[in-house]
Amino acid sequence: MGGPTHVGLAFSCICGQLKGHISDRGVRLGTHVECFCHDCRAAQLYFRQPDPAPGPVDIFQMAPDEIEITAGGQFLSAMKLGPNGMLRWYASCCNAPLATTPQTARLPFAGFIVGRIAGDVSALGPVTTRGFVPRPDGKQKHEKVRFAAFGLLRRALQSRLSGRWKNTPFFDPETGRTAVVPTDISKDERAALYP
């Protein structure tokens, strides 16, 4: 079914059973961002990872067709923080968060957790966008969001026009359904994770 043809950066879950790589093109066209939003933090806590607060979650935004799982695909799982939440993909063998995608493959976007990438991540480039940055007045702001927005539009357009958007480990290319049935987190569970 196609998929990435050149190995750019390897990744794995915490225990090493699920492995894969991000293509050279994915690395080249991605956007390195930091997110301070409560949902990203809540997801980390759900997966029993350290709370990044007051720091951000380090994310590499890319087209999901540039991600290939080469081993341990049976451990790929997903959850949602509510019925309208993003899909948060993880490895069930060790609860390692992997990536966040929309609920449909038609919007080719993935926010990959940088901590899952093996070795030197300098190829990802510097952080160019910071989202939901806390302010002293209690509000939040985005910094240099144009980099993330432009990158998303460029990658989505290329992915859709080429047809590569269907070649993703997260969705069935024929039906468009998620590769696995995601777990829906209740409102109470979500509230208990992070306010």
Side-chain angles (χ1 to χ4, degrees):
M1 287 187 291
T5 55
H6 301 290
V7 177
L9 289 174
F11 65 82
S12 73
C13 65
I14 296 168
C15 72
Q17 293 193 80
L18 187 151
K19 299 177 182 179
H21 60 257
I22 298 168
S23 72
D24 287 334
R25 181 174 55 211
V27 173
R28 191 173 65 253
L29 298 179
T31 306
H32 195 177
V33 308
E34 291 179 339
C35 186
F36 291 80
C37 84
H38 289 187
D39 277 356
C40 279
R41 290 173 171 171
Q44 294 295 308
L45 295 175
Y46 175 83
F47 296 126
R48 297 192 284 278
Q49 301 302 305
D51 185 352
V57 177
D58 196 9
I59 297 170
F60 191 64
Q61 294 182 348
M62 57 186 299
D65 51 88
E66 306 295 355
I67 300 168
E68 186 170 14
I69 294 174
T70 56
Q74 70 270 26
F75 297 114
L76 183 66
S77 302
M79 60 80 88
K80 294 186 294 180
L81 294 169
N84 299 318
M86 300 278 279
L87 290 167
R88 308 229 172 216
W89 299 90
Y90 66 102
S92 61
C93 46
C94 56
N95 273 345
L98 298 170
T100 302
T101 71
Q103 293 191 34
T104 173
R106 292 186 176 277
L107 178 56
F109 168 87
F112 201 86
I113 301 296
V114 171
R116 297 277 60 82
I117 297 174
D120 184 12
V121 296
S122 61
L124 303 180
V127 171
T128 56
T129 300
R130 302 171 83 223
F132 301 94
V133 181
R135 299 173 65 177
D137 59 6
K139 296 181 180 180
Q140 297 173 320
K141 66 174 181 177
H142 303 304
E143 297 176 357
K144 300 182 179 179
V145 72
R146 66 186 182 278
F147 291 103
F150 176 75
L152 170 62
L153 289 173
R154 180 179 60 171
R155 291 188 302 268
L157 186 61
Q158 291 179 357
S159 189
R160 292 285 298 181
L161 289 175
S162 67
R164 292 192 308 265
W165 65 276
K166 293 184 178 181
N167 299 326
T168 162
F170 308 120
F171 296 92
D172 184 289
E174 302 301 324
T175 66
R177 295 192 186 100
T178 52
V180 298
V181 177
T183 299
D184 278 321
I185 305 303
S186 71
K187 286 184 178 180
D188 288 344
E189 286 177 295
R190 168 64 184 85
L193 288 169
Y194 217 101

